[in-house]
Amino acid sequence: MGVGMSSGRRRGIGVGPSSGMLPLLALQVLLEYGRAGASRPPVTAALIAANALVYLRPGALDGFLPPLSRVAFNPHLIIQYGDMTRFFLSAFYHLSETHFFYNMTSLLWKGIQLETSVGSVGFASMVAALLGLSQGITLLLSKGLLLFGNETAYYDQYAVGFSGVLFGMKIVLNAWSDDYVFLHGMVIPAKYAAWAELLLIQAFIPGTSFIGHLGGILAGLSYLWLKRSYSGPDPLALLISGIANVVSWPVKFAQRLLRSGRRQGSRVGRRASRETDQGMWRCSACTYDNSPSADICEMCNSTREDPGFPQRQHLQAVGNSALSVDEIRRRRLQRFDR
């Protein structure tokens, strides 16, 4: 969850004119993924690409993706009508280029660190869990406020953005950190940075969804508690790993076939080369390599001296005797003058 919008201004919102932040975001991604020795986490890149495609809506995607007013997170519509489109897709929509830029910059920084630490499958499982937890906790908080007489958060609040997941990621990232961070003139422990940022954002940007950001923080704390309480294998990670194996199986199978074909071709080539080399015989007089079907040297007309090769009766005795250097030179010249 991120920026909220009131019911009176939730319609007709689209991508406004560019303020130059998108090229800057693209440059940051290229610098992180293009530098030598970079880990290049794929899930982080895929999340940024998915958010970018939803925000930019290029080509046919513009007609395929639902409009922002159809997916904005509203607790009343989700609970009353079971609108799961709003529950899940609202996190991938952004109101403005500034909103999109700051969320994706934060995702780039946090995602690279977390994915490098826990692995791609573990990070994908974490993002899925934080998405579900943050949206669910936001629903519960809004419903709770309604019971206490506050109807605004339940009926009138429409919110979009990836901020709820990002707040949860910040909680996980700094959970065991002993570092301190400098935040708007204050030096605070990193583990409490998300709480300070929650209050500062609400103070300086009143239009943001306080309930959505708080739901993200509580989602991160719940995720950590669940990880500590459950010592078995992560079911989400197993599911994601299984899906990835099924999707990538045809590619891996094709790669194995190609590698097997190359190995067999290489073995056949080596075998043929060995057979050719073994069949050739070298003349003892001029050291010329001759065809296995020839019994007379093609260069100097000397007789093959292989003891396993039967001598032909029409060969002259002079062919079996040692030749002088001048005689070899003369026969070579005669050979090339033919």
Side-chain angles (χ1 to χ4, degrees):
M1 209 74 56
V3 176
M5 49 182 175
S6 67
S7 58
R9 59 187 181 95
R10 70 177 183 271
R11 300 181 184 275
I13 296 178
V15 179
S18 175
S19 59
M21 290 186 172
L22 294 181
L24 182 59
L25 174 63
L27 178 61
Q28 291 185 17
V29 174
L30 287 175
L31 290 176
E32 286 292 340
Y33 280 80
R35 59 187 173 86
S39 56
R40 301 181 180 88
V43 177
T44 300
L47 286 172
I48 294 175
N51 278 273
L53 289 173
V54 171
Y55 178 73
L56 297 173
R57 307 171 71 94
L61 277 181
D62 188 35
F64 176 76
L65 293 173
L68 186 145
S69 59
R70 177 64 183 82
V71 301
F73 188 94
N74 178 262
H76 168 66
L77 295 178
I78 294 174
I79 295 176
Q80 185 72 19
Y81 302 104
D83 193 345
M84 302 309 292
T85 301
R86 296 180 183 273
F87 186 88
F88 289 108
L89 291 187
S90 58
F92 297 92
Y93 281 69
H94 294 83
L95 283 177
S96 65
E97 186 172 320
T98 303
H99 184 207
F100 173 76
F101 172 79
Y102 283 113
N103 274 0
M104 293 303 101
T105 302
S106 179
L107 173 60
L108 178 66
W109 182 74
K110 295 182 181 71
I112 288 178
Q113 295 186 74
L114 287 171
E115 188 171 354
T116 303
S117 176
V118 303
S120 296
V121 173
F123 179 67
S125 170
M126 179 192 301
V127 171
L130 290 176
L131 175 61
L133 286 171
S134 63
Q135 304 289 67
I137 291 173
T138 301
L139 278 181
L140 294 177
L141 292 175
S142 301
K143 190 67 174 179
L145 289 174
L146 178 64
L147 296 177
F148 285 99
N150 187 337
E151 299 182 353
T152 302
Y154 186 77
Y155 289 106
D156 299 330
Q157 183 77 18
Y158 289 80
V160 292
F162 211 69
S163 303
V165 178
L166 293 173
F167 268 95
M169 291 170 61
K170 176 169 283 193
I171 290 292
V172 175
L173 184 62
N174 296 326
W176 296 280
S177 175
D178 296 326
D179 296 335
Y180 288 82
V181 296
F182 186 79
L183 192 63
H184 291 279
M186 300 181 297
V187 178
I188 59 175
K191 64 179 66 176
Y192 303 123
W195 293 99
E197 188 175 342
L198 171 69
L199 299 176
L200 289 172
I201 289 178
Q202 195 63 29
F204 290 104
I205 314 175
T208 56
S209 175
F210 179 82
I211 299 298
H213 292 170
L214 178 60
I217 291 177
L218 297 178
L221 294 173
S222 300
Y223 177 82
L224 291 174
W225 179 80
L226 290 172
K227 293 291 286 185
R228 286 194 295 264
S229 302
Y230 180 68
S231 58
D234 186 347
L236 273 177
L238 293 177
L239 176 62
I240 293 171
S241 179
I243 294 174
N245 289 334
V246 171
V247 172
S248 62
W249 179 84
V251 178
K252 293 179 179 178
F253 181 72
Q255 290 176 343
R256 285 198 296 269
L257 287 179
L258 291 175
R259 285 197 295 266
S260 177
R262 284 197 295 266
R263 285 197 296 267
Q264 290 179 0
S266 177
R267 285 196 294 267
V268 170
R270 287 196 298 269
R271 188 182 303 115
S273 177
R274 285 196 300 268
E275 290 175 355
T276 302
D277 291 342
Q278 292 173 358
M280 299 289 286
W281 62 276
R282 179 165 294 178
C283 177
S284 59
C286 65
T287 69
Y288 181 79
D289 291 329
N290 294 275
S291 170
S293 61
D295 56 351
I296 298 177
C297 178
E298 298 175 358
M299 179 62 69
C300 66
N301 293 330
S302 297
T303 305
R304 181 173 180 178
E305 296 182 357
D306 187 352
F309 189 86
Q311 301 294 329
R312 295 187 179 177
Q313 296 179 357
H314 69 274
L315 297 178
Q316 301 296 329
V318 66
N320 297 325
S321 60
L323 300 175
S324 65
V325 176
D326 292 337
E327 181 64 18
I328 293 175
R329 185 180 299 112
R330 184 184 65 80
R331 292 191 178 188
R332 283 179 176 175
L333 291 174
Q334 289 178 349
R335 174 74 174 176
F336 289 114
D337 288 340
R338 292 176 182 175

